[in-house]
Amino acid sequence: VASSRVVSPVLLLFAGGHEVSPLQNHLHRQAVIMNLLSGAMDMVSDSVKDLAGGGLGKIFQPQLEKVVDATLEWLGPKAGEVAVQKMKEKYPSLAKMKTVEGTAQAAAEDAVKGCKDEIMEFCKDAAEDPFGTFKKVGTLLMRCCKSAATDAVTAIIKMLKAKCPCCSCFIRDPSRIIQDIYETLVDALKEQLQSKFKDANVPSSIMEKLPWDFQENDDVGEPASKKQPPEQKTMDTSGDTPAQPLT
C-alpha cells in the first residue's frame, strides 16, 4: 500500500534520497518559509516588508519561546556552576566546604525562576515584531544573568558567615567577582542561544538579522499584553449647558 504522506522533494534531495520523518519534513518546511520571508524583506518596499515581517514573526515566535525556555532551564545550573568556580579561584578554602555547590545552584535557579514569567511574556510579542522582541528578550536575559550571579554569590557569603564568621570577613566587596561571573555568563548565554536556534532549524539568514547587540540597561518597556489600551473619550451629558435663547 502506497504511503499518503507527502515529503518535500528538496528535503529528499538533501537527505540523499532516503526517507525522512514527518518531524524532519515539518522542520524543513518551516526553515524554507522563514528563508523565503527573510529574502523578501531584503528585496521589497517597506510596506511589503511589514507584511513579510508579520508572516515571519508568526513562525519565529514559537521557536523563540522554545529556545528561551530551554535556555532558562540551562541558565540556573550554569550560573551556580560558574559562581562556585570563580569563588573557589579567589577563595580556595571554599573547596573544603561540601555544601557550596548546592547552595550556589539553588540560589541561582531561584533567581532565574523569578525572571522567567516576564521573559516568556515578552516572547509573545515576537509574532508582530520578531527582531525588536528578540533584542528586548536578550536584555532581560542579561538582567537574569546578573540576578543569578548576585544571588549565588550572596548565598555563598551567607553560608560562610554561618559556618565560619571569620572567613566571611575576607569578602568585603563582592561586586567585582559578581561582575566577573556575570560577564562569563553573558558570553555563555549568547553561545547557548545560537546553539539552540540551530537545533530548532532557524535558518542562518534569520540568525544574521537578529540583533545581538542588546545591553543590560536597554529600555524594554512593557510586553504588549500589559499595555493599557488608549482610553476612549466619552461625552459627559450629565452637566450639559442649557441652550441659550436665540436673540
Side-chain angles (χ1 to χ4, degrees):
V1 179
S3 172
S4 60
R5 179 160 56 86
V6 177
V7 180
S8 166
V10 179
L11 185 57
L12 280 175
L13 178 63
F14 279 104
H18 299 292
E19 185 71 3
V20 294
S21 69
L23 176 59
Q24 288 175 310
N25 194 24
H26 172 70
L27 291 175
H28 169 74
R29 288 176 182 275
Q30 282 200 326
V32 169
I33 292 170
M34 281 194 283
N35 255 325
L36 290 172
L37 288 169
S38 175
M41 293 177 72
D42 290 334
M43 296 170 60
V44 297
S45 65
D46 290 341
S47 59
V48 180
K49 279 184 181 181
D50 291 339
L51 294 175
L56 174 63
K58 287 178 174 59
I59 298 174
F60 179 70
Q61 188 266 337
Q63 301 282 22
L64 179 63
E65 280 192 340
K66 290 178 183 178
V67 166
V68 170
D69 186 63
T71 298
L72 289 170
E73 289 294 319
W74 159 89
L75 182 56
K78 182 66 177 179
E81 174 191 326
V82 173
V84 170
Q85 176 191 341
K86 297 289 186 182
M87 289 288 283
K88 283 183 176 180
E89 287 174 1
K90 192 167 182 64
Y91 309 103
S93 59
L94 283 173
K96 300 177 183 178
M97 299 184 177
K98 297 180 180 179
T99 57
V100 65
E101 284 85 0
T103 298
Q105 183 168 328
E109 288 183 355
D110 285 346
V112 172
K113 287 177 184 176
C115 302
K116 183 173 181 178
D117 287 348
E118 181 185 21
I119 295 173
M120 298 308 295
E121 196 65 34
F122 267 92
C123 286
K124 297 176 182 178
D125 294 350
E128 299 299 328
D129 180 14
F131 302 127
T133 297
F134 174 76
K135 189 169 185 178
K136 292 178 181 179
V137 168
T139 291
L140 293 171
L141 286 170
M142 289 184 74
R143 294 177 187 176
C144 191
C145 287
K146 177 60 72 69
S147 295
T150 301
D151 288 5
V153 171
T154 300
I156 293 173
I157 293 174
K158 285 182 178 179
M159 182 195 72
L160 277 173
K161 286 182 178 179
K163 294 192 174 185
C164 179
C166 294
C167 297
S168 63
C169 296
F170 294 103
I171 311 176
R172 296 178 181 177
D173 182 11
S175 59
R176 288 186 180 180
I177 196 166
I178 289 173
Q179 184 66 20
D180 187 16
I181 295 166
Y182 163 71
E183 290 174 0
T184 301
L185 284 176
V186 168
D187 289 341
L189 169 73
K190 292 185 178 181
E191 290 180 4
Q192 179 75 2
L193 286 170
Q194 291 175 355
S195 175
K196 290 299 180 182
F197 276 128
K198 289 179 181 177
D199 291 345
N201 285 331
V202 174
S204 59
S205 59
I206 301 298
M207 294 282 289
E208 291 168 0
K209 289 182 174 61
L210 292 175
W212 294 92
D213 59 341
F214 43 80
Q215 300 295 325
E216 179 190 357
N217 295 321
D218 288 347
D219 182 14
V220 298
E222 292 185 332
S225 61
K226 292 188 177 181
K227 290 180 181 176
Q228 296 291 336
E231 295 183 3
Q232 294 183 351
K233 294 183 178 180
T234 57
M235 295 183 64
D236 183 8
T237 58
S238 60
D240 287 345
T241 303
Q244 298 296 322
L246 294 174
T247 57

